[in-house]
Amino acid sequence: MTVHYADTSAWVKLIYIEDETDAMLDHLEEGRTAGGRFVSSELLATELHRTGRRLGVSAAGVRDALGELELVLPTHETFVAAGQLSGEVLRALDAIQKNKQVSRGTL
């Protein structure tokens, strides 16, 4: 089974029509058809709800989009390791998401 990392900026395309929305929907369908799954950190739920509020998307619409993936809770070690990732411009939440992706070894 292929595991696809779900980034917040990609998942926004499922709640708000953007230029890349059709491509994201195609990617989601192709992944599901091939037996793959989409995974992200629990942080995506917060980020997507906040973005949805800013864009005027209903909470139900956000919950529907979140239902398309598996959310995992980062461990203490994930937070510590994220703080030690290289890259001066890498923001904290991006570092946590990226580190979770790397630490799972399957994303």
Side-chain angles (χ1 to χ4, degrees):
M1 174 188 309
T2 302
V3 177
H4 304 272
Y5 170 68
D7 178 81
T8 302
S9 63
W11 233 248
V12 166
K13 290 155 185 50
L14 299 180
I15 65 167
Y16 189 78
I17 302 299
E18 296 181 351
D19 290 341
E20 301 88 4
T21 295
D22 287 340
M24 180 59 191
L25 291 169
D26 290 345
H27 178 64
L28 182 63
E29 180 63 27
E30 290 169 9
R32 292 263 191 246
T33 300
R37 63 190 180 117
F38 292 81
V39 177
S40 191
S41 160
E42 290 277 356
L43 288 171
L44 188 139
T46 301
E47 292 176 321
L48 201 60
H49 275 287
R50 296 307 309 159
T51 301
R53 288 183 63 90
R54 191 172 57 254
L55 297 174
V57 177
S58 71
V62 172
R63 284 191 302 274
D64 287 347
L66 290 171
E68 296 292 329
L69 72 150
E70 176 187 340
L71 297 174
V72 295
L73 187 61
T75 64
H76 173 76
E77 291 78 16
T78 298
F79 288 104
V80 171
Q84 297 172 355
L85 287 174
S86 63
E88 288 69 32
V89 297
L90 186 60
R91 297 175 300 179
L93 292 179
D94 292 333
I96 293 165
Q97 293 278 41
K98 178 180 172 124
N99 186 66
K100 190 61 183 176
Q101 176 185 6
V102 172
S103 68
R104 284 181 64 94
T106 56
L107 299 177

